[in-house]
């Protein structure tokens, strides 16, 4: 199955960025979000649709509605400029990553 | 908690590459290891999973015949071997601690370049 994300999102500092991820499997499976900065390994920022791992700022939040999940970054900071990937898993344990969204902070 | 991977590799087409991933800071057999790769300028691609507890494996269909994984519980190290390399396998390969449906800790990545 596929997870579709917008290629890019642009936002001004202090504003809110919303990144969507759509796929049929999301109606029944949890979604996860990773942040990847250039030249670095990805970092988990949201698990189980909306839970924030320890150490992730509160401005990162996740939500779900039907077959679409959304990562919201409230009060965007320059350091949030990165690529963001959603991910889910089917019942057999096969992972699928979304197509990725580049967040640019203007 | 940390995963430290082996260094960059340059391989010829048709060869194999073996990447190691040494875990520390947690009980190795409690979690599995997933392998994910990223071709230059491209997105993330999940390849396969191995249980550090019992060695059970699960593969993305496209890698099922070319990826071989093992773990050494005495040293807390996972290994991934990719065989029959082509230029399309040029990528950064990541190991990551698997929490069943997601991964929560990533290695630093290993660049594998396939070139004649």
């Amino acid at each position: 199955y596929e997870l579709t994300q917008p290629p890019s999102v642009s936002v001004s500092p202090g504003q809110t960025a919303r990144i969507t991820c759509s796929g049929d499997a999301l109606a029944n499976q949890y979604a996860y979000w990773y942040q990847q900065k250039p030249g670095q390994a990805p970092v988990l920022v949201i698990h189980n649709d909306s839970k924030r791992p320890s150490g992730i700022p509160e401005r990162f939040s996740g939500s779900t509605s039907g077959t679409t999940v959304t990562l919201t970054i409230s009060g965007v900071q320059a350091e949030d400029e990165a690529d963001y990937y959603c991910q889910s898993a089917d019942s057999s344990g096969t992972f699928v990553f979304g197509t990725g969204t580049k967040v640019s902070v203007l | 908690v940390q995963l430290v991977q082996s260094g960059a590799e340059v391989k010829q087409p048709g060869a194999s590459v073996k990447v190691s991933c040494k875990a520390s800071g947690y009980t190795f057999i409690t979690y599995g290891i997933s392998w994910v790769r990223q071709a230059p300028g491209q997105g993330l691609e999940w390849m396969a999973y191995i249980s550090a507890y019992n060695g059970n494996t699960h593969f993305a269909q496209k890698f099922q015949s070319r990826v071989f994984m093992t773990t050494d519980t005495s040293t807390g190290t996972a290994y991934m071997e990719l065989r029959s390399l082509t230029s399309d396998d040029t990528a950064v390969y990541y190991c990551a601690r698997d929490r069943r449906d997601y991964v929560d800790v990533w290695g630093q990545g290993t660049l594998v370049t396939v070139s004649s």
Side-chain angles (χ1 to χ4, degrees):
Chain A
Y1 61 91
E2 297 180 345
L3 297 177
T4 301
Q5 301 178 231
S8 63
V9 168
S10 297
V11 60
S12 299
Q15 299 302 303
T16 297
R18 294 181 178 85
I19 307 163
T20 58
C21 172
S22 299
D24 290 343
L26 295 175
N28 302 303
Q29 302 290 340
Y30 283 121
Y32 308 88
W33 290 94
Y34 304 89
Q35 175 195 68
Q36 186 180 34
K37 297 181 180 180
Q40 298 184 20
V43 172
L44 178 70
V45 294
I46 293 290
H47 66 91
N48 294 76
D49 288 345
S50 60
K51 299 185 187 303
R52 210 172 38 250
S54 174
I56 300 302
E58 291 184 7
R59 64 180 181 272
F60 289 88
S61 63
S63 61
T64 180
S65 178
T67 58
T68 298
V69 295
T70 301
L71 173 69
T72 300
I73 312 173
S74 304
V76 168
Q77 300 182 7
E79 66 197 52
D80 300 330
E81 187 162 281
D83 294 327
Y84 291 83
Y85 295 90
C86 62
Q87 177 253 310
S88 191
D90 67 17
S91 56
S92 71
T94 297
F95 284 21
V96 175
F97 286 99
T99 49
T101 299
K102 181 176 181 59
V103 171
S104 298
V105 182
L106 304 175
Chain B
V1 176
Q2 195 174 12
L3 299 174
V4 178
Q5 300 183 222
S6 49
E9 304 262 12
V10 179
K11 296 292 183 181
Q12 292 197 331
S16 299
V17 67
K18 192 170 187 177
V19 179
S20 68
C21 170
K22 183 171 175 58
S24 62
Y26 72 96
T27 302
F28 183 64
I29 61 172
T30 304
Y31 302 94
I33 295 288
S34 268
W35 292 89
V36 177
R37 76 177 185 180
Q38 186 171 38
Q42 302 300 308
L44 301 172
E45 181 177 30
W46 180 80
M47 300 174 65
Y49 158 87
I50 183 167
S51 166
Y53 175 72
N54 59 16
N56 285 350
T57 56
H58 183 58
F59 300 88
Q61 191 170 3
K62 69 179 287 188
F63 296 107
Q64 197 149 11
S65 62
R66 293 200 298 136
V67 169
F68 297 85
M69 296 175 292
T70 58
T71 60
D72 182 342
T73 56
S74 68
T75 62
T77 303
Y79 299 88
M80 187 279 296
E81 182 179 21
L82 182 61
R83 300 179 179 176
S84 303
L85 293 168
T86 73
S87 58
D88 289 342
D89 294 316
T90 294
V92 175
Y93 289 77
Y94 294 101
C95 65
R97 189 174 76 167
D98 192 292
R99 300 297 298 268
R100 183 172 177 179
D101 286 338
Y102 68 104
V103 292
D104 66 345
V105 179
W106 295 68
Q108 84 276 19
T110 297
L111 175 62
V112 175
T113 303
V114 183
S115 174
S116 56

